[in-house]
Amino acid sequence: MSELTDRFRRDGYVAVEGAMDPAFCESVVVDVLAGLGTGATGRHNLPATRSWALDDVAPAAAAALDELVGGRDAIAFSGIHDNLIVNLADPEATWWAPHEVAAPGAGWHKDGDWFRHFLDSPEQGILGIVLWRDVDADQGATYVVADSIGPVARFLAEHPEGVDPPVPVDEVVASCRDVRALTGRQGTVIWAHPFLVHSASVNAADRPRVISNTVAMLREPMRFDRPEGRHTPVEQVVLDRLGVDRLEFAATGRRGRIESDRERRWKAGQPTS
Ligand SMILES: O=C(O)CCC(=O)C(=O)O
């Protein structure tokens, strides 16, 4: 097992440091921040206007992704986009620490508001978090519940008929203990397990926090019944957290695309943050 896969299996996510050129990151950020104007506060979830192939702007992150999902052929699409999520200081909001999981501003969720969720769903094959600038813990970092993957996997295994989003995570978060702030340097790409529950937090610093989310969609649903040693790291994390070597899972409900609230707001030209 490679060191990267080892860390992914242990933590449920892995940071590829130095994946993108800081000068490239900065040029994208400066353009986008100029569009936000002065006086903006709080979080801004901006739509994508430009996209790049991972191989072109983040080759080490592309190689890591291939390793985690079982090779290039397993991926239907992936990429880096300038759909920046800018988190600015907000005088109206109170900063909360990662362990304060019940803070009024917490918005714990599993990503994927556009499809019906199954244990083996291919749509959100992995969760990518791109650090377009340095991110410190008090700067509105994304908080992740590192021990949420097992409870989410158990919930989905118990619902082969599928679950429409949002996947309920309140009980999962209440039962978990290991909450962390995702920090790192400009140009880091973090690949996280799709079942990792996470939330935005409040920026208590005077520096904008700038990240984006990206997703890799798989061509086929995940498999948990492959011969030993043949599971992808993303599949293996599910098996590890469920405490089994193999699992026969068959979805009984219909897979489907769902128009998300976010998409409806975008189409109506309303704010999406
Ligand atoms: O802004 C953040 O830190 C979190 C973003 C997020 O959770 C999301 O867009 O799904």
Side-chain angles (χ1 to χ4, degrees), residues 43 45 85 109 111 140-142 198-201 209 211 213:
R43 260 177 95 253
N45 214 323
I85 310 176
H109 62 280
D111 267 10
T142 308
H198 56 282
S199 171
S201 73
R209 189 292 316 257
I211 64 159
N213 282 167

Side-chain angles (χ1 to χ4, degrees), residues 25 81 97 159 190 207 216:
C25 294
H81 322 278
H159 291 279
I190 298 168
R207 304 172 307 283

Side-chain angles (χ1 to χ4, degrees), residues 162-173:
V163 181
D164 277 349
V167 173
V169 297
D170 287 356
E171 282 182 26
V172 169
V173 173

Side-chain angles (χ1 to χ4, degrees), residues 198-222:
H198 56 282
S199 171
S201 73
V202 172
N203 188 347
D206 55 6
R207 304 172 307 283
R209 189 292 316 257
V210 189
I211 64 159
S212 65
N213 282 167
T214 189
V215 61
M217 182 166 166
L218 306 180
R219 287 190 193 284
E220 301 289 340
M222 291 188 278

Side-chain angles (χ1 to χ4, degrees), residues 77-79 81 114 123-128 191 213-217:
F77 65 75
S78 66
H81 322 278
W114 54 281
E123 289 91 343
Q124 177 86 38
I126 205 159
L127 164 64
W191 293 124
N213 282 167
T214 189
V215 61
M217 182 166 166

